């Protein structure tokens, strides 16, 4: 009979003074913490929205979006019942739109299954769409004072240095190890402040490059600093570079209107609007490829137009390089589902990816000359 492998239990180094470390860190946090809009109270919904927005997005970028979003959708129920297009419009510019769709889907689940009250246990909150271990830990600790860790990239960087860890932080096993170690440092009754203090330390002092060790409030506890290797940690395996993709986009002009289409409900940039776009086959000239696309898939006859611009955008796994052409409509109505002609003023009612908003800005700047 094969015995089930027991999970590894990790413990803090003997020389690391966890209690004193936590007290000094919290003393600094109480005096120096930033005034951020999601810190005005411990409402779990407000905490939840902020944590989703802050994923892969800088604090200064998030602040105005957060305030606008909370004004439009002040409660779980308000978000749950809002039209998806309105939610995506409020998210426009933040990117990673799946975060917004998952947030709304989870808000509907909270409304239906929990009476609009965000769950306060790890088991229940982790069932919500888009809520992973970090987000669950942040909500539970900040809103409910549950003593669980909230381990993200900032926290892993800080603790890699504090505990002199050379584990690759890109590996899932390292996150599990880190969660165990962080949990052992959380002080009773201040889990939320402690987790936020670690994040604050990583954002303001223990920076990815050139950590500010001389101004660090927990300088004396850092094992990497004692060894003089703080600049070499954390260890992180290299990710694959994003795959380059060459695309062509057509701005089809009919009087004062432009052709736009809605992307599929699944996949990259799902349900957002865009100008007709096709991957460059590399076998024919650009305009000929766009003419064939518009005739075959949209049922439109157009005149060859002028080159408008090049625009680029990088996702985590793709790098789009897009050449954009303006074309004049001759005849035909869009055959493709969810394709419509709208004016530049009407475009403000639709949600576009960042890349296509750059095209809209160029259209607006040149419209008077056309």
């Amino acid at each position: 009979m094969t015995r089930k492998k027991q999970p590894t239990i990790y413990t803090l180094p003997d020389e690391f003074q966890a209690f004193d470390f936590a007290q000094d860190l919290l003393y600094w946090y109480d005096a120096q913490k930033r005034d951020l809009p999601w810190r005005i109270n411990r409402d779990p919904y407000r905490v939840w929205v902020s944590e989703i927005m802050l994923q892969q997005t800088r604090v200064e970028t998030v602040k105005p979006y957060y305030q606008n979003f909370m004004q439009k959708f002040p409660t779980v129920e308000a978000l749950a019942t809002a039209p998806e297009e309105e939610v995506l419009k409020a998210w426009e510019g933040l990117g990673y739109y799946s975060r917004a769709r998952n947030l709304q889907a989870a808000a509907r689940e909270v409304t239906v299954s929990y009476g609009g009250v965000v769950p306060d246990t790890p088991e229940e909150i982790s069932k919500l769409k888009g809520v992973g271990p970090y987000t669950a830990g942040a909500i539970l600790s900040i809103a409910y004072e549950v003593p669980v860790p909230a381990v993200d990239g900032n926290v892993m960087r800080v603790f890699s240095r504090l505990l002199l860890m050379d584990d690759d932080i890109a590996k899932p096993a390292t996150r599990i190890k880190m969660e165990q170690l962080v949990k052992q440092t959380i002080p009773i009754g201040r889990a939320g402040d402690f987790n936020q203090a670690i994040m604050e330390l990583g954002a303001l002092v223990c920076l990815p490059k050139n950590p500010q060790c001389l101004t660090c409030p927990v300088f004396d506890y850092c094992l990497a600093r004692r060894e003089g290797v703080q600049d070499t940690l954390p260890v992180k395996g290299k990710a694959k570079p994003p795959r380059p993709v060459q695309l062509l986009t057509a701005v089809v002009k009919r009087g004062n209107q432009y052709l736009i289409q809605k992307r599929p409900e699944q996949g990259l940039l799902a349900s957002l609007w865009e100008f007709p776009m096709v991957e460059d086959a590399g076998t024919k000239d650009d305009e000929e490829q766009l003419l064939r696309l518009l005739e075959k898939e949209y049922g439109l006859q157009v005149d060859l137009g002028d080159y408008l611009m090049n625009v680029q955008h990088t996702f985590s796994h793709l790098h789009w390089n897009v050449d954009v052409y303006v074309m004049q409509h001759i005849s035909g109505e869009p055959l493709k589902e969810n394709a419509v002609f709208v004016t530049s003023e009407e475009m403000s009612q639709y949600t576009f990816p960042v890349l296509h908003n750059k095209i809209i800005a160029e259209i607006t700047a040149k419209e008077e000359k056309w």
Side-chain angles (χ1 to χ4, degrees):
M1 182 176 179
T2 304
R3 288 186 178 183
K4 186 176 181 180
K5 187 177 180 181
Q6 295 299 312
T8 304
I9 304 299
Y10 300 98
T11 57
L12 293 167
D14 292 339
E15 66 268 38
F16 186 76
Q17 300 167 305
F19 178 83
D20 293 339
F21 159 76
Q23 297 309 306
D24 285 354
L25 179 65
L26 287 169
Y27 180 82
W28 168 79
Y29 176 73
D30 290 339
Q32 302 294 332
K33 65 182 177 183
R34 289 172 291 179
D35 182 17
L36 300 174
W38 43 88
R39 287 180 175 165
I40 63 173
N41 59 40
R42 300 294 184 102
D43 176 69
Y45 171 63
R46 292 180 63 87
V47 174
W48 181 16
V49 173
S50 72
E51 291 299 338
I52 297 298
M53 284 191 170
L54 287 164
Q55 292 172 9
Q56 300 175 292
T57 311
R58 295 177 62 252
V59 166
E60 291 305 312
T61 301
V62 166
K63 285 199 292 190
Y65 282 97
Y66 177 81
Q67 290 169 317
N68 176 62
F69 196 89
M70 294 310 301
Q71 193 172 32
K72 288 181 179 295
F73 317 110
T75 64
V76 174
E77 292 87 348
L79 178 59
T81 57
E84 183 185 86
E85 189 70 37
E86 189 176 331
V87 175
L88 292 176
K89 188 65 181 176
W91 204 272
E92 187 177 35
L94 273 178
Y96 301 100
Y97 289 90
S98 61
R99 294 181 298 172
R101 284 187 287 270
N102 289 342
L103 179 61
Q104 186 177 37
R108 289 170 179 157
E109 176 66 18
V110 169
T111 300
V112 172
S113 301
Y114 301 98
V117 178
V118 179
D120 61 359
T121 66
E123 296 75 21
E124 294 299 319
I125 202 167
S126 297
K127 295 176 183 177
L128 300 178
K129 197 167 185 178
V131 176
Y134 165 77
T135 305
I139 298 169
L140 292 172
S141 62
I142 297 170
Y144 296 118
E145 284 299 348
V146 180
V148 291
V151 175
D152 67 353
N154 261 348
V155 175
M156 287 202 282
R157 178 173 68 255
V158 170
F159 267 81
S160 289
R161 291 168 176 167
L162 281 170
L163 304 182
L164 192 58
M165 295 173 60
D166 59 4
D167 307 66
D168 184 350
I169 65 170
K171 294 182 177 180
T174 303
R175 177 180 294 276
I176 294 171
K177 180 178 181 179
M178 199 76 74
E179 286 171 348
Q180 286 190 28
L181 296 172
V182 173
K183 187 172 183 178
Q184 295 169 46
T185 66
I186 298 175
I188 297 172
R190 296 202 67 183
D193 284 341
F194 178 81
N195 281 338
Q196 290 183 92
I198 292 292
M199 297 174 207
E200 200 84 339
L201 188 71
L204 302 180
V205 179
C206 198
L207 306 174
K209 296 180 180 178
N210 301 316
Q212 308 298 299
C213 295
L214 295 180
T215 61
C216 179
V218 289
F219 176 95
D220 292 331
Y221 305 93
C222 184
L223 303 183
R225 194 273 312 166
R226 289 184 195 177
E227 299 294 326
V229 295
Q230 65 272 15
D231 289 315
T232 68
L233 295 173
V235 173
K236 185 176 183 180
K238 289 186 178 180
K240 291 182 180 180
R243 178 172 63 86
V245 180
Q246 185 70 37
L247 296 161
L248 304 172
T249 293
V251 174
V252 180
K253 192 172 185 304
R254 184 176 72 178
N256 68 340
Q257 294 182 315
Y258 302 89
L259 180 66
I260 62 172
Q261 67 171 18
K262 192 173 187 179
R263 290 180 65 88
E265 294 182 359
Q266 303 293 327
L268 186 64
L269 303 176
S271 298
L272 302 188
W273 291 80
E274 65 181 6
F275 298 98
M277 191 161 63
V278 66
E279 187 166 349
D280 187 352
T283 56
K284 301 175 182 176
D285 67 64
D286 295 354
E287 291 165 311
E288 181 63 27
Q289 290 184 67
L290 288 172
L291 284 174
R292 287 174 59 84
L293 169 75
L294 293 167
E295 181 180 4
K296 185 176 180 180
E297 295 194 21
Y298 295 84
L300 301 179
Q301 298 293 320
V302 299
D303 262 342
L304 294 177
D306 298 321
Y307 182 79
L308 179 65
M309 66 190 297
N310 175 269
V311 61
Q312 300 186 28
H313 188 79
T314 301
F315 303 92
S316 58
H317 61 303
L318 297 174
H319 176 78
W320 280 1
N321 183 43
V322 186
D323 286 316
V324 186
Y325 293 83
V326 178
M327 298 190 165
Q328 296 293 332
H329 175 265
I330 299 174
S331 64
E333 290 295 328
L335 297 177
K336 196 167 186 177
E337 187 178 2
N338 291 326
V340 293
F341 278 101
V342 297
T343 65
S344 56
E345 291 81 9
E346 290 170 336
M347 285 184 196
S348 63
Q349 301 169 27
Y350 298 83
T351 307
F352 290 85
V354 170
L355 182 146
H356 287 267
N357 271 323
K358 292 178 181 178
I359 299 173
I360 292 172
E362 189 70 13
I363 291 172
T364 303
K366 295 186 174 182
E367 200 166 27
E368 290 184 2
K369 300 178 182 178
W370 289 345

